[in-house]
Amino acid sequence: KALKQLMASNHSHITDYGETRYLYCYTDCQDSATVTKTISSFYSGIAIGPSWDGGSTWNREHTWPNSKGDAAGNGENDIMMLRPTASSENSSRGNKAYGESTSYYNPNSVSNGAYDLRGDVARIFLYVYVRWGNTNRAWGTSGVMESVDVLLQWMEADPVDTWELGRNDSVESITGTRNVFVDYPEYAFLLFGEEIPADMTTPSGGASSSKCDHNNF
């Protein structure tokens, strides 16, 4: 509740679905030095856009699927979780839950592991889970994430990188709010009553053994 209040209180502009098409050249820009500001497709990293072509070659991927969302609420149009993707990648994912078991969708599959997105999608999941209260359709094949165990494994296996931090800054400049789980991924473990890995690398440094009593955080 405290984290939800923090993110909600700073959320000064809630994006609508249409405007996101023209914001990705700032939030998901592959090369800001160029005039065209090419967009990076979320799952593969290939160059798309930046011009909108009606969804022919690229569109907007609901990392938390619409069909499992909050009934056409603001959460479905939040650019924090709405990512630009090549249309074929969006179709391939569909509304399958993220995970590693059969019938689940591994976000690394498109790039054959060249890009590790497991932590990215886990942190986006946590943002929507907390910020918009989408808890009813969270787990299992009918949900968005395979299990809490997979979520935390991905959080640890794929630490926050400079791309995520930069995107968090860019989204904040538009909406006023941040994904707290990018800044403090260690909170994910506290949220589900699990011990924070002592060797986990986080932007805050709050998970390091020198700064954290892992039994009494």
Side-chain angles (χ1 to χ4, degrees), residues 95-124:
N95 69 348
K96 292 191 289 288
Y98 292 117
E100 298 182 346
S101 302
T102 304
S103 78
Y104 289 93
Y105 185 78
N106 190 322
N108 290 359
S109 60
V110 177
S111 68
N112 292 315
Y115 295 97
D116 195 345
L117 294 172
R118 294 173 297 170
D120 301 58
V121 300
R123 287 178 279 274
I124 293 171

PDB file of all heavy atoms in Angstrom, residues 95-124:
ATOM      1  N   ASN A  95      -1.366 -13.426 -25.484  1.00  0.00           N
ATOM      2  CA  ASN A  95      -1.623 -13.088 -24.084  1.00  0.00           C
ATOM      3  C   ASN A  95      -1.106 -14.191 -23.154  1.00  0.00           C
ATOM      4  O   ASN A  95      -1.590 -14.353 -22.041  1.00  0.00           O
ATOM      5  CB  ASN A  95      -3.114 -12.819 -23.850  1.00  0.00           C
ATOM      6  CG  ASN A  95      -3.957 -14.073 -23.985  1.00  0.00           C
ATOM      7  OD1 ASN A  95      -3.490 -15.113 -24.458  1.00  0.00           O
ATOM      8  ND2 ASN A  95      -5.215 -13.995 -23.569  1.00  0.00           N
ATOM      9  N   LYS A  96      -0.114 -14.945 -23.658  1.00  0.00           N
ATOM     10  CA  LYS A  96       0.463 -16.020 -22.839  1.00  0.00           C
ATOM     11  C   LYS A  96       1.164 -15.448 -21.616  1.00  0.00           C
ATOM     12  O   LYS A  96       1.773 -14.379 -21.674  1.00  0.00           O
ATOM     13  CB  LYS A  96       1.445 -16.849 -23.670  1.00  0.00           C
ATOM     14  CG  LYS A  96       0.799 -17.665 -24.772  1.00  0.00           C
ATOM     15  CD  LYS A  96       1.767 -18.655 -25.395  1.00  0.00           C
ATOM     16  CE  LYS A  96       2.818 -17.970 -26.235  1.00  0.00           C
ATOM     17  NZ  LYS A  96       2.266 -17.430 -27.497  1.00  0.00           N
ATOM     18  N   ALA A  97       1.092 -16.177 -20.526  1.00  0.00           N
ATOM     19  CA  ALA A  97       1.767 -15.761 -19.300  1.00  0.00           C
ATOM     20  C   ALA A  97       3.269 -15.941 -19.455  1.00  0.00           C
ATOM     21  O   ALA A  97       3.736 -16.844 -20.148  1.00  0.00           O
ATOM     22  CB  ALA A  97       1.269 -16.589 -18.117  1.00  0.00           C
ATOM     23  N   TYR A  98       4.032 -15.067 -18.826  1.00  0.00           N
ATOM     24  CA  TYR A  98       5.481 -15.190 -18.832  1.00  0.00           C
ATOM     25  C   TYR A  98       5.909 -16.357 -17.945  1.00  0.00           C
ATOM     26  O   TYR A  98       5.357 -16.562 -16.862  1.00  0.00           O
ATOM     27  CB  TYR A  98       6.129 -13.919 -18.297  1.00  0.00           C
ATOM     28  CG  TYR A  98       5.982 -12.705 -19.174  1.00  0.00           C
ATOM     29  CD1 TYR A  98       5.286 -11.582 -18.729  1.00  0.00           C
ATOM     30  CD2 TYR A  98       6.565 -12.654 -20.441  1.00  0.00           C
ATOM     31  CE1 TYR A  98       5.164 -10.444 -19.518  1.00  0.00           C
ATOM     32  CE2 TYR A  98       6.445 -11.525 -21.238  1.00  0.00           C
ATOM     33  CZ  TYR A  98       5.750 -10.420 -20.769  1.00  0.00           C
ATOM     34  OH  TYR A  98       5.625  -9.295 -21.559  1.00  0.00           O
ATOM     35  N   GLY A  99       6.908 -17.103 -18.401  1.00  0.00           N
ATOM     36  CA  GLY A  99       7.411 -18.202 -17.593  1.00  0.00           C
ATOM     37  C   GLY A  99       8.375 -19.062 -18.368  1.00  0.00           C
ATOM     38  O   GLY A  99       8.735 -18.748 -19.513  1.00  0.00           O
ATOM     39  N   GLU A 100       8.804 -20.144 -17.766  1.00  0.00           N
ATOM     40  CA  GLU A 100       9.798 -21.030 -18.370  1.00  0.00           C
ATOM     41  C   GLU A 100       9.241 -22.405 -18.731  1.00  0.00           C
ATOM     42  O   GLU A 100       9.843 -23.126 -19.522  1.00  0.00           O
ATOM     43  CB  GLU A 100      10.995 -21.183 -17.434  1.00  0.00           C
ATOM     44  CG  GLU A 100      11.714 -19.859 -17.168  1.00  0.00           C
ATOM     45  CD  GLU A 100      12.921 -20.013 -16.276  1.00  0.00           C
ATOM     46  OE1 GLU A 100      13.053 -21.080 -15.638  1.00  0.00           O
ATOM     47  OE2 GLU A 100      13.733 -19.076 -16.192  1.00  0.00           O
ATOM     48  N   SER A 101       8.121 -22.773 -18.155  1.00  0.00           N
ATOM     49  CA  SER A 101       7.550 -24.091 -18.418  1.00  0.00           C
ATOM     50  C   SER A 101       6.830 -24.106 -19.769  1.00  0.00           C
ATOM     51  O   SER A 101       6.598 -23.056 -20.376  1.00  0.00           O
ATOM     52  CB  SER A 101       6.567 -24.480 -17.310  1.00  0.00           C
ATOM     53  OG  SER A 101       7.201 -24.475 -16.048  1.00  0.00           O
ATOM     54  N   THR A 102       6.475 -25.294 -20.217  1.00  0.00           N
ATOM     55  CA  THR A 102       5.722 -25.443 -21.459  1.00  0.00           C
ATOM     56  C   THR A 102       4.418 -24.653 -21.387  1.00  0.00           C
ATOM     57  O   THR A 102       3.753 -24.641 -20.354  1.00  0.00           O
ATOM     58  CB  THR A 102       5.408 -26.930 -21.709  1.00  0.00           C
ATOM     59  OG1 THR A 102       6.627 -27.666 -21.723  1.00  0.00           O
ATOM     60  CG2 THR A 102       4.675 -27.120 -23.029  1.00  0.00           C
ATOM     61  N   SER A 103       4.070 -23.996 -22.466  1.00  0.00           N
ATOM     62  CA  SER A 103       2.871 -23.172 -22.633  1.00  0.00           C
ATOM     63  C   SER A 103       3.039 -21.758 -22.072  1.00  0.00           C
ATOM     64  O   SER A 103       2.136 -20.936 -22.197  1.00  0.00           O
ATOM     65  CB  SER A 103       1.616 -23.819 -22.016  1.00  0.00           C
ATOM     66  OG  SER A 103       1.589 -23.675 -20.606  1.00  0.00           O
ATOM     67  N   TYR A 104       4.192 -21.473 -21.457  1.00  0.00           N
ATOM     68  CA  TYR A 104       4.464 -20.112 -20.998  1.00  0.00           C
ATOM     69  C   TYR A 104       5.374 -19.407 -21.996  1.00  0.00           C
ATOM     70  O   TYR A 104       6.034 -20.049 -22.823  1.00  0.00           O
ATOM     71  CB  TYR A 104       5.113 -20.125 -19.607  1.00  0.00           C
ATOM     72  CG  TYR A 104       4.173 -20.530 -18.505  1.00  0.00           C
ATOM     73  CD1 TYR A 104       4.083 -21.858 -18.104  1.00  0.00           C
ATOM     74  CD2 TYR A 104       3.366 -19.601 -17.875  1.00  0.00           C
ATOM     75  CE1 TYR A 104       3.204 -22.240 -17.092  1.00  0.00           C
ATOM     76  CE2 TYR A 104       2.493 -19.967 -16.865  1.00  0.00           C
ATOM     77  CZ  TYR A 104       2.415 -21.291 -16.481  1.00  0.00           C
ATOM     78  OH  TYR A 104       1.551 -21.654 -15.493  1.00  0.00           O
ATOM     79  N   TYR A 105       5.434 -18.084 -21.910  1.00  0.00           N
ATOM     80  CA  TYR A 105       6.221 -17.296 -22.855  1.00  0.00           C
ATOM     81  C   TYR A 105       7.502 -16.795 -22.202  1.00  0.00           C
ATOM     82  O   TYR A 105       7.460 -16.071 -21.204  1.00  0.00           O
ATOM     83  CB  TYR A 105       5.404 -16.106 -23.358  1.00  0.00           C
ATOM     84  CG  TYR A 105       6.095 -15.288 -24.428  1.00  0.00           C
ATOM     85  CD1 TYR A 105       6.137 -15.739 -25.743  1.00  0.00           C
ATOM     86  CD2 TYR A 105       6.706 -14.077 -24.126  1.00  0.00           C
ATOM     87  CE1 TYR A 105       6.772 -14.994 -26.735  1.00  0.00           C
ATOM     88  CE2 TYR A 105       7.340 -13.326 -25.102  1.00  0.00           C
ATOM     89  CZ  TYR A 105       7.372 -13.792 -26.403  1.00  0.00           C
ATOM     90  OH  TYR A 105       8.005 -13.061 -27.370  1.00  0.00           O
ATOM     91  N   ASN A 106       8.630 -17.189 -22.774  1.00  0.00           N
ATOM     92  CA  ASN A 106       9.919 -16.707 -22.294  1.00  0.00           C
ATOM     93  C   ASN A 106      10.303 -15.489 -23.131  1.00  0.00           C
ATOM     94  O   ASN A 106      10.476 -15.593 -24.348  1.00  0.00           O
ATOM     95  CB  ASN A 106      10.982 -17.800 -22.431  1.00  0.00           C
ATOM     96  CG  ASN A 106      12.282 -17.427 -21.730  1.00  0.00           C
ATOM     97  OD1 ASN A 106      12.711 -16.271 -21.750  1.00  0.00           O
ATOM     98  ND2 ASN A 106      12.911 -18.414 -21.099  1.00  0.00           N
ATOM     99  N   PRO A 107      10.452 -14.314 -22.514  1.00  0.00           N
ATOM    100  CA  PRO A 107      10.730 -13.098 -23.288  1.00  0.00           C
ATOM    101  C   PRO A 107      12.075 -13.117 -24.002  1.00  0.00           C
ATOM    102  O   PRO A 107      12.325 -12.278 -24.865  1.00  0.00           O
ATOM    103  CB  PRO A 107      10.685 -11.998 -22.226  1.00  0.00           C
ATOM    104  CG  PRO A 107      11.002 -12.694 -20.946  1.00  0.00           C
ATOM    105  CD  PRO A 107      10.384 -14.049 -21.069  1.00  0.00           C
ATOM    106  N   ASN A 108      12.944 -14.059 -23.657  1.00  0.00           N
ATOM    107  CA  ASN A 108      14.252 -14.164 -24.314  1.00  0.00           C
ATOM    108  C   ASN A 108      14.198 -14.961 -25.614  1.00  0.00           C
ATOM    109  O   ASN A 108      15.191 -15.034 -26.340  1.00  0.00           O
ATOM    110  CB  ASN A 108      15.266 -14.825 -23.386  1.00  0.00           C
ATOM    111  CG  ASN A 108      15.647 -13.933 -22.222  1.00  0.00           C
ATOM    112  OD1 ASN A 108      15.173 -12.812 -22.103  1.00  0.00           O
ATOM    113  ND2 ASN A 108      16.509 -14.412 -21.351  1.00  0.00           N
ATOM    114  N   SER A 109      13.042 -15.565 -25.901  1.00  0.00           N
ATOM    115  CA  SER A 109      12.956 -16.485 -27.041  1.00  0.00           C
ATOM    116  C   SER A 109      13.125 -15.792 -28.381  1.00  0.00           C
ATOM    117  O   SER A 109      13.687 -16.358 -29.315  1.00  0.00           O
ATOM    118  CB  SER A 109      11.618 -17.237 -27.011  1.00  0.00           C
ATOM    119  OG  SER A 109      10.523 -16.327 -27.090  1.00  0.00           O
ATOM    120  N   VAL A 110      12.651 -14.556 -28.515  1.00  0.00           N
ATOM    121  CA  VAL A 110      12.705 -13.855 -29.799  1.00  0.00           C
ATOM    122  C   VAL A 110      14.149 -13.584 -30.212  1.00  0.00           C
ATOM    123  O   VAL A 110      14.521 -13.746 -31.374  1.00  0.00           O
ATOM    124  CB  VAL A 110      11.910 -12.533 -29.736  1.00  0.00           C
ATOM    125  CG1 VAL A 110      12.045 -11.776 -31.048  1.00  0.00           C
ATOM    126  CG2 VAL A 110      10.445 -12.811 -29.451  1.00  0.00           C
ATOM    127  N   SER A 111      14.968 -13.157 -29.264  1.00  0.00           N
ATOM    128  CA  SER A 111      16.361 -12.828 -29.581  1.00  0.00           C
ATOM    129  C   SER A 111      17.297 -14.010 -29.373  1.00  0.00           C
ATOM    130  O   SER A 111      18.517 -13.863 -29.488  1.00  0.00           O
ATOM    131  CB  SER A 111      16.836 -11.664 -28.708  1.00  0.00           C
ATOM    132  OG  SER A 111      16.935 -12.060 -27.339  1.00  0.00           O
ATOM    133  N   ASN A 112      16.734 -15.194 -29.063  1.00  0.00           N
ATOM    134  CA  ASN A 112      17.538 -16.389 -28.788  1.00  0.00           C
ATOM    135  C   ASN A 112      18.567 -16.140 -27.687  1.00  0.00           C
ATOM    136  O   ASN A 112      19.691 -16.644 -27.745  1.00  0.00           O
ATOM    137  CB  ASN A 112      18.240 -16.867 -30.057  1.00  0.00           C
ATOM    138  CG  ASN A 112      17.273 -17.402 -31.094  1.00  0.00           C
ATOM    139  OD1 ASN A 112      16.360 -18.161 -30.769  1.00  0.00           O
ATOM    140  ND2 ASN A 112      17.448 -16.994 -32.344  1.00  0.00           N
ATOM    141  N   GLY A 113      18.165 -15.339 -26.720  1.00  0.00           N
ATOM    142  CA  GLY A 113      19.024 -15.083 -25.577  1.00  0.00           C
ATOM    143  C   GLY A 113      20.005 -13.948 -25.749  1.00  0.00           C
ATOM    144  O   GLY A 113      20.774 -13.640 -24.829  1.00  0.00           O
ATOM    145  N   ALA A 114      20.009 -13.289 -26.906  1.00  0.00           N
ATOM    146  CA  ALA A 114      20.918 -12.165 -27.122  1.00  0.00           C
ATOM    147  C   ALA A 114      20.576 -11.009 -26.190  1.00  0.00           C
ATOM    148  O   ALA A 114      21.452 -10.250 -25.765  1.00  0.00           O
ATOM    149  CB  ALA A 114      20.853 -11.706 -28.575  1.00  0.00           C
ATOM    150  N   TYR A 115      19.298 -10.868 -25.873  1.00  0.00           N
ATOM    151  CA  TYR A 115      18.840  -9.870 -24.916  1.00  0.00           C
ATOM    152  C   TYR A 115      18.164 -10.590 -23.759  1.00  0.00           C
ATOM    153  O   TYR A 115      17.288 -11.425 -23.984  1.00  0.00           O
ATOM    154  CB  TYR A 115      17.838  -8.896 -25.558  1.00  0.00           C
ATOM    155  CG  TYR A 115      18.424  -8.044 -26.650  1.00  0.00           C
ATOM    156  CD1 TYR A 115      18.276  -8.407 -27.983  1.00  0.00           C
ATOM    157  CD2 TYR A 115      19.123  -6.881 -26.344  1.00  0.00           C
ATOM    158  CE1 TYR A 115      18.822  -7.627 -28.998  1.00  0.00           C
ATOM    159  CE2 TYR A 115      19.668  -6.092 -27.350  1.00  0.00           C
ATOM    160  CZ  TYR A 115      19.515  -6.476 -28.672  1.00  0.00           C
ATOM    161  OH  TYR A 115      20.046  -5.711 -29.660  1.00  0.00           O
ATOM    162  N   ASP A 116      18.575 -10.280 -22.557  1.00  0.00           N
ATOM    163  CA  ASP A 116      17.940 -10.882 -21.385  1.00  0.00           C
ATOM    164  C   ASP A 116      16.887  -9.922 -20.861  1.00  0.00           C
ATOM    165  O   ASP A 116      17.210  -8.849 -20.334  1.00  0.00           O
ATOM    166  CB  ASP A 116      18.980 -11.180 -20.299  1.00  0.00           C
ATOM    167  CG  ASP A 116      18.433 -12.130 -19.228  1.00  0.00           C
ATOM    168  OD1 ASP A 116      17.192 -12.315 -19.170  1.00  0.00           O
ATOM    169  OD2 ASP A 116      19.239 -12.690 -18.467  1.00  0.00           O
ATOM    170  N   LEU A 117      15.635 -10.288 -21.032  1.00  0.00           N
ATOM    171  CA  LEU A 117      14.517  -9.427 -20.649  1.00  0.00           C
ATOM    172  C   LEU A 117      13.746  -9.973 -19.457  1.00  0.00           C
ATOM    173  O   LEU A 117      12.709  -9.426 -19.089  1.00  0.00           O
ATOM    174  CB  LEU A 117      13.554  -9.257 -21.827  1.00  0.00           C
ATOM    175  CG  LEU A 117      14.104  -8.510 -23.047  1.00  0.00           C
ATOM    176  CD1 LEU A 117      13.113  -8.594 -24.185  1.00  0.00           C
ATOM    177  CD2 LEU A 117      14.390  -7.060 -22.700  1.00  0.00           C
ATOM    178  N   ARG A 118      14.243 -11.055 -18.870  1.00  0.00           N
ATOM    179  CA  ARG A 118      13.487 -11.680 -17.782  1.00  0.00           C
ATOM    180  C   ARG A 118      13.262 -10.719 -16.622  1.00  0.00           C
ATOM    181  O   ARG A 118      12.143 -10.605 -16.093  1.00  0.00           O
ATOM    182  CB  ARG A 118      14.213 -12.941 -17.313  1.00  0.00           C
ATOM    183  CG  ARG A 118      14.266 -14.042 -18.358  1.00  0.00           C
ATOM    184  CD  ARG A 118      15.138 -15.194 -17.904  1.00  0.00           C
ATOM    185  NE  ARG A 118      16.530 -14.761 -17.715  1.00  0.00           N
ATOM    186  CZ  ARG A 118      17.477 -15.507 -17.149  1.00  0.00           C
ATOM    187  NH1 ARG A 118      17.175 -16.719 -16.705  1.00  0.00           N
ATOM    188  NH2 ARG A 118      18.714 -15.043 -17.024  1.00  0.00           N
ATOM    189  N   GLY A 119      14.313 -10.021 -16.206  1.00  0.00           N
ATOM    190  CA  GLY A 119      14.159  -9.069 -15.118  1.00  0.00           C
ATOM    191  C   GLY A 119      13.294  -7.889 -15.512  1.00  0.00           C
ATOM    192  O   GLY A 119      12.516  -7.381 -14.692  1.00  0.00           O
ATOM    193  N   ASP A 120      13.425  -7.452 -16.763  1.00  0.00           N
ATOM    194  CA  ASP A 120      12.621  -6.324 -17.241  1.00  0.00           C
ATOM    195  C   ASP A 120      11.133  -6.618 -17.102  1.00  0.00           C
ATOM    196  O   ASP A 120      10.373  -5.794 -16.567  1.00  0.00           O
ATOM    197  CB  ASP A 120      12.938  -6.024 -18.709  1.00  0.00           C
ATOM    198  CG  ASP A 120      14.394  -5.678 -18.955  1.00  0.00           C
ATOM    199  OD1 ASP A 120      15.267  -6.503 -18.632  1.00  0.00           O
ATOM    200  OD2 ASP A 120      14.658  -4.587 -19.479  1.00  0.00           O
ATOM    201  N   VAL A 121      10.705  -7.792 -17.622  1.00  0.00           N
ATOM    202  CA  VAL A 121       9.277  -8.101 -17.576  1.00  0.00           C
ATOM    203  C   VAL A 121       8.830  -8.364 -16.138  1.00  0.00           C
ATOM    204  O   VAL A 121       7.686  -8.046 -15.776  1.00  0.00           O
ATOM    205  CB  VAL A 121       8.910  -9.281 -18.492  1.00  0.00           C
ATOM    206  CG1 VAL A 121       9.253  -8.977 -19.933  1.00  0.00           C
ATOM    207  CG2 VAL A 121       9.559 -10.580 -18.055  1.00  0.00           C
ATOM    208  N   ALA A 122       9.704  -8.915 -15.304  1.00  0.00           N
ATOM    209  CA  ALA A 122       9.351  -9.148 -13.904  1.00  0.00           C
ATOM    210  C   ALA A 122       9.101  -7.821 -13.194  1.00  0.00           C
ATOM    211  O   ALA A 122       8.142  -7.683 -12.423  1.00  0.00           O
ATOM    212  CB  ALA A 122      10.460  -9.924 -13.203  1.00  0.00           C
ATOM    213  N   ARG A 123       9.939  -6.834 -13.473  1.00  0.00           N
ATOM    214  CA  ARG A 123       9.785  -5.538 -12.813  1.00  0.00           C
ATOM    215  C   ARG A 123       8.584  -4.763 -13.355  1.00  0.00           C
ATOM    216  O   ARG A 123       7.920  -4.040 -12.608  1.00  0.00           O
ATOM    217  CB  ARG A 123      11.088  -4.741 -12.940  1.00  0.00           C
ATOM    218  CG  ARG A 123      12.194  -5.297 -12.045  1.00  0.00           C
ATOM    219  CD  ARG A 123      13.508  -4.563 -12.177  1.00  0.00           C
ATOM    220  NE  ARG A 123      14.297  -4.972 -13.327  1.00  0.00           N
ATOM    221  CZ  ARG A 123      15.142  -6.000 -13.349  1.00  0.00           C
ATOM    222  NH1 ARG A 123      15.297  -6.740 -12.263  1.00  0.00           N
ATOM    223  NH2 ARG A 123      15.847  -6.289 -14.430  1.00  0.00           N
ATOM    224  N   ILE A 124       8.290  -4.923 -14.655  1.00  0.00           N
ATOM    225  CA  ILE A 124       7.071  -4.326 -15.202  1.00  0.00           C
ATOM    226  C   ILE A 124       5.844  -4.974 -14.575  1.00  0.00           C
ATOM    227  O   ILE A 124       4.876  -4.302 -14.201  1.00  0.00           O
ATOM    228  CB  ILE A 124       7.029  -4.472 -16.732  1.00  0.00           C
ATOM    229  CG1 ILE A 124       8.120  -3.626 -17.386  1.00  0.00           C
ATOM    230  CG2 ILE A 124       5.664  -4.068 -17.276  1.00  0.00           C
ATOM    231  CD1 ILE A 124       8.283  -3.870 -18.871  1.00  0.00           C
TER     232      ILE A 124
END
